[in-house]
Every structure is written in C-alpha cells, then in structure tokens.
Amino acid sequence: MNNKSMKDRRLMVFEILRGAAAITLALAVATVFIFLCSDEPFTALKYLLVGPIVKDGGGFNTSSFYTILAAMIPTIFTGLATCVMFSAGQFNLASEGCVMAGGFVGALCGIYIHMNTGLHAVLCVLVAAVLCGLIMLIPAILKVKLGASEMVMSLMMNYIIMYVVLHFLNNVFADRSKGSTQTYPFDDTAKIPALVPGGSKLTWGFVVALVFVVIVALFMYRTKWGYTIRMIGINKAFSEYSGMKVGGVIVLSQVIGGLLAGMGGSIEVLGRFNTFLWKELPGYGWAGVTIAILAKNNPIFVPFAAFFIAYLNKGCMLMSTYSDVPSEMIDIIQAAIFLFFAAEQFLSGYRQKLVVRGAQADLAKTETAEGGKA
C-alpha cells in the first residue's frame, strides 16, 4: 500500500470517527432536552433509542425494521442527488421539488399509459427522472450563464413546482368520486412490487436504490466526469485554469441530481400508494441534505446515513406516541448534527495530529526502505 492510499485510509477513518462523535453529541443534546421537558424521560429515551427495532415485550421487531428500510428508499435517492450537486460546489436544494414532480409524473404515467408488461413501472420511473433532469436545467443554466445563485433559485423552484403540481392535481387529474383530492388509481402493472410479502411497504425500490448507490459511487470515483465534478467543488478557479469545462460540468451535476431525485419520488409514489395524494412538499429533499452532510458527500455512506435518519424518525414517532415528548425532537437532533458537522474546527486538532503522525510514520518507513536497499 503506497503512502497516498494509507493517508486516504487514515482520513476516511477520521471522518467516520468524527461523524460518530457528532452523532453522539447530537443525541446527548437531545437527551438533555428530553430530561428538561419530560416527566418520563427514561420511557421517552427507550422508545427513541431501541423502540424502532425492539418490541415492548422483548424481541426483534421485524415489521418495524422493514418500515425503516422502506422509509430509506426516497431519502437514499435525494441523498445521492445532493451528494453529486454538493460535490460540485452547487448548493442546489431543488431535490425537494423534484421528488414531488417525479412522484406526480410517475403517477400520471401509471394511470394514463397502459402496458401489459412489467416494464410499465420502469417506463414511469424513467419518464419522471428525465422530466426532473430537465427541470434542473433551469437553475443550472441560470447559474452558468447569468451567475444566479442556485440556492435561491432552487428554493424558489420548490414552491413553484409544488403549486404547479397542485394546480393540475386539483383542476385536471383529480378523481371527483373520492372524498379527498387525489388521482385515479394506478394500473397494477405500474406499481413497484413488494420485496417482502405480508403487507410490508418495503418494495423492490430498495434494491434499486442500493444499485444506484454503487452506480453513483463508481461514477464519482472511477470516471473522468466524476473526478471533474469533485475537482470543481474543491477548487473551481484551478479547474478553470487547468482547462476543465466548468460550466458544462456544473450543469451536468445538477441534471444528475434532478434525475436521481425524480427517480426517488416516482419509486416512492408507485411503491407506497395506490393514487397520488401529496398536497405539500414531502420533506424527502430536506432529509437528503442532512444525509449528504452525514455522508460527507460520499455516495457509499449514503445508505448508512439514510438508515440513521429513518431510524431516528421512527424513534421520535414512537416517543411522541408513548411518552410526553413531541415528535419535533427530530428537528433538534438534526439541527445539532448540522452544527457539529458544519463546524470545520470540530476535532480539527485531532485531524492535524493524525496527519502529522501518519506523515512521520511514512517518512520512517521510506528511510528504512532506502537504508535496506543501500
């Protein structure tokens, strides 16, 4: 193993330890708040920390575990989308709107396109993904051509997308025979089949999500385009000086983000529901931002971060149901995670010592090897 590989390995270990420390401190902050606001803090902590996977009478809760895995499906896609865009230095937050648009378009394809084949669901997902990729061209091109802030543009676009979807849902595609605003049911061929029988919401979308984790990781770390995206995020000025097509790569990164987010939204809707009935932004895009931060923009870590967030959400829901602590505690935990992960100086002293010790060890090995050759 060469010196560079050893250094990269040490830094990866450090980032894992840093992430674990940040999560531990965030949970400690949550624990303090629970003790301050609850009359039964130990009951609340039990449901928060072990409730999602342990039954009240003891034993592993398989049904709840499947629910957690099912909740990961859309957030894995939005986490991957955010990782790609953040890696290019693009603080684009439009994954939230693209999830809703992707779910809506996938639903319409499942209703109005009729196919007697298993490829129906694939077509619905692909159409939704392509549309959301095209949507992401708007902030990307405005960023490249006019220097507009992609953060402001994407935040505005989320609500534009939401109200456009609601307009068509309410006035064009609603099933008036129902008591609430929703579309007509999807064709059975358009639905994502369950991965686990017995009424579980865990679908084959989970497997697709894991496949795309591998695809995105290979793209980001084993292709020229992925290297260019990461280099632009590290140093845009140097990338321009070295002749990289910065504008095109910025557009590419945001289009890929839209494709992934739209795919996640359509898979979620076609796998979990029988009709489209979202009347507000679902929140998966915001969760994707937290997941990307937890994963340090590394696609391989996205499933683990998504599992952590899904587990916390389930724990907070149980805690609010069986104790006097509100489910909004998840917002406090996520805010604390943001705080520690965004703090560049958090454990920076330990990181510096690790780098110095590693460099000294590499130097000693080099000198020993040279002495042996002599």
Side-chain angles (χ1 to χ4, degrees), residues 315-353:
C316 286
M317 184 185 70
L318 292 172
M319 180 176 62
S320 66
T321 302
Y322 296 105
S323 73
D324 57 352
V325 179
S327 60
E328 286 76 15
M329 182 59 64
I330 185 65
D331 296 326
I332 294 176
I333 298 173
Q334 288 186 358
I337 291 172
F338 270 117
L339 174 66
F340 291 114
F341 269 83
E344 292 295 333
Q345 298 304 313
F346 179 56
L347 295 182
S348 60
Y350 178 74
R351 183 181 188 276
Q352 182 65 23
K353 291 178 181 178

Short mmCIF file of all heavy atoms in Angstrom, two decimals, residues 315-353:
data_model
loop_
_atom_site.label_atom_id
_atom_site.label_comp_id
_atom_site.label_asym_id
_atom_site.label_seq_id
_atom_site.Cartn_x
_atom_site.Cartn_y
_atom_site.Cartn_z
N GLY A 315 -38.09 6.40 15.75
CA GLY A 315 -37.97 6.50 17.20
C GLY A 315 -38.69 7.71 17.76
O GLY A 315 -39.35 7.63 18.80
N CYS A 316 -38.60 8.86 17.06
CA CYS A 316 -39.29 10.07 17.53
C CYS A 316 -40.80 9.91 17.44
O CYS A 316 -41.54 10.42 18.29
CB CYS A 316 -38.83 11.27 16.71
SG CYS A 316 -37.17 11.83 17.13
N MET A 317 -41.27 9.21 16.41
CA MET A 317 -42.71 8.97 16.29
C MET A 317 -43.21 8.10 17.45
O MET A 317 -44.24 8.40 18.07
CB MET A 317 -43.02 8.30 14.96
CG MET A 317 -44.50 8.09 14.71
SD MET A 317 -44.84 7.17 13.19
CE MET A 317 -44.25 5.53 13.67
N LEU A 318 -42.46 7.04 17.77
CA LEU A 318 -42.84 6.19 18.89
C LEU A 318 -42.74 6.95 20.21
O LEU A 318 -43.60 6.79 21.09
CB LEU A 318 -41.93 4.96 18.93
CG LEU A 318 -42.08 3.96 17.78
CD1 LEU A 318 -40.99 2.90 17.85
CD2 LEU A 318 -43.45 3.31 17.81
N MET A 319 -41.71 7.77 20.34
CA MET A 319 -41.53 8.54 21.57
C MET A 319 -42.69 9.50 21.80
O MET A 319 -43.19 9.65 22.92
CB MET A 319 -40.20 9.32 21.49
CG MET A 319 -39.89 10.16 22.71
SD MET A 319 -38.27 10.94 22.57
CE MET A 319 -38.51 11.98 21.12
N SER A 320 -43.16 10.15 20.72
CA SER A 320 -44.28 11.08 20.86
C SER A 320 -45.59 10.36 21.13
O SER A 320 -46.51 10.92 21.73
CB SER A 320 -44.41 11.93 19.59
OG SER A 320 -44.77 11.13 18.48
N THR A 321 -45.69 9.09 20.68
CA THR A 321 -46.92 8.32 20.88
C THR A 321 -47.02 7.77 22.29
O THR A 321 -48.10 7.81 22.91
CB THR A 321 -46.97 7.14 19.87
OG1 THR A 321 -46.91 7.66 18.54
CG2 THR A 321 -48.26 6.35 20.05
N TYR A 322 -45.90 7.29 22.83
CA TYR A 322 -45.94 6.59 24.12
C TYR A 322 -45.35 7.39 25.27
O TYR A 322 -45.23 6.86 26.38
CB TYR A 322 -45.20 5.26 23.99
CG TYR A 322 -45.86 4.31 23.02
CD1 TYR A 322 -45.32 4.09 21.75
CD2 TYR A 322 -47.02 3.64 23.36
CE1 TYR A 322 -45.93 3.23 20.86
CE2 TYR A 322 -47.64 2.76 22.47
CZ TYR A 322 -47.08 2.57 21.21
OH TYR A 322 -47.69 1.72 20.34
N SER A 323 -44.95 8.63 25.03
CA SER A 323 -44.47 9.48 26.11
C SER A 323 -44.95 10.90 25.86
O SER A 323 -45.68 11.16 24.92
CB SER A 323 -42.93 9.42 26.21
OG SER A 323 -42.33 10.13 25.14
N ASP A 324 -44.52 11.82 26.70
CA ASP A 324 -44.99 13.20 26.60
C ASP A 324 -44.01 14.10 25.84
O ASP A 324 -44.09 15.33 25.92
CB ASP A 324 -45.23 13.78 27.99
CG ASP A 324 -43.98 13.70 28.87
OD1 ASP A 324 -43.00 13.06 28.45
OD2 ASP A 324 -43.99 14.26 29.99
N VAL A 325 -43.09 13.52 25.06
CA VAL A 325 -42.13 14.30 24.27
C VAL A 325 -42.65 14.41 22.84
O VAL A 325 -42.97 13.38 22.23
CB VAL A 325 -40.73 13.66 24.29
CG1 VAL A 325 -39.76 14.47 23.44
CG2 VAL A 325 -40.23 13.55 25.72
N PRO A 326 -42.73 15.61 22.26
CA PRO A 326 -43.25 15.75 20.89
C PRO A 326 -42.29 15.20 19.85
O PRO A 326 -41.07 15.13 20.07
CB PRO A 326 -43.43 17.26 20.73
CG PRO A 326 -42.46 17.86 21.69
CD PRO A 326 -42.41 16.91 22.87
N SER A 327 -42.84 14.82 18.69
CA SER A 327 -42.02 14.24 17.62
C SER A 327 -41.07 15.27 17.01
O SER A 327 -40.14 14.90 16.30
CB SER A 327 -42.93 13.68 16.52
OG SER A 327 -43.74 14.70 15.97
N GLU A 328 -41.30 16.56 17.26
CA GLU A 328 -40.40 17.59 16.74
C GLU A 328 -38.99 17.50 17.30
O GLU A 328 -38.09 18.23 16.88
CB GLU A 328 -40.97 18.99 17.03
CG GLU A 328 -42.16 19.38 16.18
CD GLU A 328 -43.44 18.69 16.60
OE1 GLU A 328 -43.47 18.14 17.72
OE2 GLU A 328 -44.41 18.70 15.82
N MET A 329 -38.78 16.57 18.25
CA MET A 329 -37.44 16.36 18.79
C MET A 329 -36.45 16.01 17.67
O MET A 329 -35.26 16.32 17.77
CB MET A 329 -37.46 15.26 19.84
CG MET A 329 -36.13 14.98 20.52
SD MET A 329 -35.46 16.45 21.36
CE MET A 329 -36.72 16.70 22.62
N ILE A 330 -36.95 15.38 16.59
CA ILE A 330 -36.07 15.05 15.47
C ILE A 330 -35.45 16.30 14.88
O ILE A 330 -34.30 16.28 14.42
CB ILE A 330 -36.85 14.27 14.38
CG1 ILE A 330 -35.91 13.81 13.26
CG2 ILE A 330 -37.97 15.11 13.80
CD1 ILE A 330 -34.90 12.83 13.66
N ASP A 331 -36.16 17.42 14.90
CA ASP A 331 -35.62 18.68 14.37
C ASP A 331 -34.45 19.17 15.23
O ASP A 331 -33.46 19.71 14.71
CB ASP A 331 -36.70 19.75 14.31
CG ASP A 331 -37.82 19.39 13.34
OD1 ASP A 331 -37.51 18.75 12.32
OD2 ASP A 331 -38.98 19.74 13.62
N ILE A 332 -34.56 18.98 16.54
CA ILE A 332 -33.46 19.38 17.44
C ILE A 332 -32.24 18.51 17.17
O ILE A 332 -31.10 19.00 17.09
CB ILE A 332 -33.91 19.26 18.91
CG1 ILE A 332 -35.03 20.27 19.20
CG2 ILE A 332 -32.72 19.47 19.85
CD1 ILE A 332 -35.60 20.15 20.60
N ILE A 333 -32.45 17.21 17.01
CA ILE A 333 -31.33 16.31 16.76
C ILE A 333 -30.65 16.65 15.43
O ILE A 333 -29.43 16.73 15.35
CB ILE A 333 -31.82 14.85 16.76
CG1 ILE A 333 -32.38 14.49 18.14
CG2 ILE A 333 -30.68 13.90 16.39
CD1 ILE A 333 -33.03 13.12 18.19
N GLN A 334 -31.46 16.87 14.39
CA GLN A 334 -30.88 17.20 13.09
C GLN A 334 -30.15 18.54 13.13
O GLN A 334 -29.09 18.69 12.51
CB GLN A 334 -31.98 17.23 12.02
CG GLN A 334 -32.51 15.86 11.67
CD GLN A 334 -33.50 15.90 10.52
OE1 GLN A 334 -33.82 16.96 9.99
NE2 GLN A 334 -34.00 14.75 10.13
N ALA A 335 -30.68 19.51 13.87
CA ALA A 335 -30.00 20.79 13.99
C ALA A 335 -28.65 20.64 14.69
O ALA A 335 -27.66 21.26 14.29
CB ALA A 335 -30.88 21.78 14.75
N ALA A 336 -28.61 19.79 15.72
CA ALA A 336 -27.34 19.56 16.41
C ALA A 336 -26.34 18.85 15.50
O ALA A 336 -25.14 19.17 15.50
CB ALA A 336 -27.59 18.74 17.67
N ILE A 337 -26.83 17.92 14.68
CA ILE A 337 -25.95 17.24 13.73
C ILE A 337 -25.37 18.25 12.75
O ILE A 337 -24.17 18.25 12.45
CB ILE A 337 -26.71 16.13 13.00
CG1 ILE A 337 -27.05 15.00 13.97
CG2 ILE A 337 -25.88 15.58 11.84
CD1 ILE A 337 -27.97 13.95 13.39
N PHE A 338 -26.24 19.12 12.21
CA PHE A 338 -25.77 20.17 11.31
C PHE A 338 -24.68 21.00 11.98
O PHE A 338 -23.66 21.33 11.38
CB PHE A 338 -26.92 21.10 10.92
CG PHE A 338 -27.66 20.67 9.69
CD1 PHE A 338 -28.99 20.32 9.76
CD2 PHE A 338 -27.03 20.63 8.46
CE1 PHE A 338 -29.68 19.93 8.63
CE2 PHE A 338 -27.70 20.24 7.32
CZ PHE A 338 -29.03 19.89 7.41
N LEU A 339 -24.92 21.37 13.23
CA LEU A 339 -23.98 22.23 13.95
C LEU A 339 -22.61 21.61 14.02
O LEU A 339 -21.60 22.25 13.68
CB LEU A 339 -24.52 22.50 15.36
CG LEU A 339 -23.59 23.26 16.32
CD1 LEU A 339 -23.38 24.67 15.82
CD2 LEU A 339 -24.17 23.27 17.73
N PHE A 340 -22.52 20.34 14.43
CA PHE A 340 -21.22 19.71 14.62
C PHE A 340 -20.56 19.34 13.30
O PHE A 340 -19.33 19.42 13.17
CB PHE A 340 -21.36 18.47 15.52
CG PHE A 340 -21.71 18.80 16.94
CD1 PHE A 340 -22.93 18.42 17.48
CD2 PHE A 340 -20.83 19.51 17.73
CE1 PHE A 340 -23.26 18.73 18.79
CE2 PHE A 340 -21.15 19.83 19.05
CZ PHE A 340 -22.37 19.44 19.57
N PHE A 341 -21.36 18.94 12.31
CA PHE A 341 -20.77 18.60 11.02
C PHE A 341 -20.32 19.84 10.26
O PHE A 341 -19.34 19.80 9.52
CB PHE A 341 -21.77 17.80 10.17
CG PHE A 341 -21.66 16.32 10.36
CD1 PHE A 341 -22.29 15.70 11.42
CD2 PHE A 341 -20.92 15.56 9.49
CE1 PHE A 341 -22.19 14.33 11.60
CE2 PHE A 341 -20.82 14.18 9.66
CZ PHE A 341 -21.45 13.57 10.72
N ALA A 342 -21.06 20.94 10.41
CA ALA A 342 -20.71 22.15 9.68
C ALA A 342 -19.54 22.89 10.33
O ALA A 342 -18.91 23.73 9.69
CB ALA A 342 -21.91 23.08 9.60
N ALA A 343 -19.25 22.56 11.59
CA ALA A 343 -18.15 23.21 12.30
C ALA A 343 -16.82 22.62 11.80
O ALA A 343 -16.45 21.51 12.17
CB ALA A 343 -18.29 23.02 13.80
N GLU A 344 -16.13 23.37 10.96
CA GLU A 344 -14.88 22.87 10.37
C GLU A 344 -13.81 22.62 11.42
O GLU A 344 -12.92 21.80 11.23
CB GLU A 344 -14.36 23.87 9.32
CG GLU A 344 -15.24 23.99 8.10
CD GLU A 344 -15.27 22.70 7.28
OE1 GLU A 344 -14.30 21.93 7.35
OE2 GLU A 344 -16.28 22.47 6.60
N GLN A 345 -13.88 23.34 12.54
CA GLN A 345 -12.86 23.19 13.57
C GLN A 345 -13.16 22.06 14.55
O GLN A 345 -12.37 21.79 15.45
CB GLN A 345 -12.70 24.51 14.35
CG GLN A 345 -12.24 25.68 13.50
CD GLN A 345 -10.93 25.39 12.79
OE1 GLN A 345 -9.98 24.90 13.38
NE2 GLN A 345 -10.89 25.69 11.49
N PHE A 346 -14.33 21.40 14.39
CA PHE A 346 -14.69 20.30 15.28
C PHE A 346 -13.71 19.13 15.07
O PHE A 346 -13.62 18.55 13.99
CB PHE A 346 -16.13 19.86 15.01
CG PHE A 346 -16.59 18.71 15.86
CD1 PHE A 346 -16.55 18.78 17.24
CD2 PHE A 346 -17.07 17.55 15.27
CE1 PHE A 346 -16.99 17.73 18.02
CE2 PHE A 346 -17.52 16.49 16.04
CZ PHE A 346 -17.46 16.59 17.41
N LEU A 347 -12.92 18.83 16.10
CA LEU A 347 -11.90 17.78 16.09
C LEU A 347 -10.79 18.05 15.07
O LEU A 347 -10.08 17.13 14.66
CB LEU A 347 -12.53 16.41 15.80
CG LEU A 347 -13.50 15.86 16.86
CD1 LEU A 347 -14.01 14.48 16.45
CD2 LEU A 347 -12.85 15.78 18.22
N SER A 348 -10.64 19.32 14.65
CA SER A 348 -9.60 19.62 13.66
C SER A 348 -8.20 19.41 14.25
O SER A 348 -7.27 19.03 13.54
CB SER A 348 -9.74 21.07 13.18
OG SER A 348 -9.61 21.97 14.26
N GLY A 349 -8.06 19.64 15.55
CA GLY A 349 -6.77 19.41 16.19
C GLY A 349 -6.37 17.94 16.12
O GLY A 349 -5.22 17.61 15.83
N TYR A 350 -7.34 17.05 16.37
CA TYR A 350 -7.05 15.62 16.28
C TYR A 350 -6.71 15.23 14.85
O TYR A 350 -5.83 14.40 14.61
CB TYR A 350 -8.25 14.82 16.78
CG TYR A 350 -8.06 13.33 16.68
CD1 TYR A 350 -7.23 12.65 17.56
CD2 TYR A 350 -8.71 12.60 15.68
CE1 TYR A 350 -7.04 11.28 17.46
CE2 TYR A 350 -8.53 11.23 15.57
CZ TYR A 350 -7.70 10.58 16.46
OH TYR A 350 -7.51 9.22 16.35
N ARG A 351 -7.40 15.84 13.89
CA ARG A 351 -7.12 15.54 12.48
C ARG A 351 -5.69 15.95 12.12
O ARG A 351 -4.97 15.22 11.43
CB ARG A 351 -8.11 16.28 11.58
CG ARG A 351 -7.93 15.98 10.09
CD ARG A 351 -8.95 16.79 9.28
NE ARG A 351 -8.96 16.40 7.89
CZ ARG A 351 -8.12 16.86 6.97
NH1 ARG A 351 -7.19 17.73 7.31
NH2 ARG A 351 -8.19 16.44 5.71
N GLN A 352 -5.28 17.11 12.61
CA GLN A 352 -3.91 17.57 12.33
C GLN A 352 -2.88 16.63 12.93
O GLN A 352 -1.88 16.27 12.28
CB GLN A 352 -3.73 18.99 12.88
CG GLN A 352 -2.36 19.60 12.62
CD GLN A 352 -2.10 19.83 11.14
OE1 GLN A 352 -3.04 19.95 10.36
NE2 GLN A 352 -0.83 19.87 10.77
N LYS A 353 -3.12 16.19 14.15
CA LYS A 353 -2.19 15.25 14.79
C LYS A 353 -2.15 13.93 14.02
O LYS A 353 -1.08 13.33 13.87
CB LYS A 353 -2.63 15.00 16.24
CG LYS A 353 -2.46 16.20 17.15
CD LYS A 353 -2.95 15.89 18.55
CE LYS A 353 -2.80 17.11 19.48
NZ LYS A 353 -3.32 16.83 20.84
#
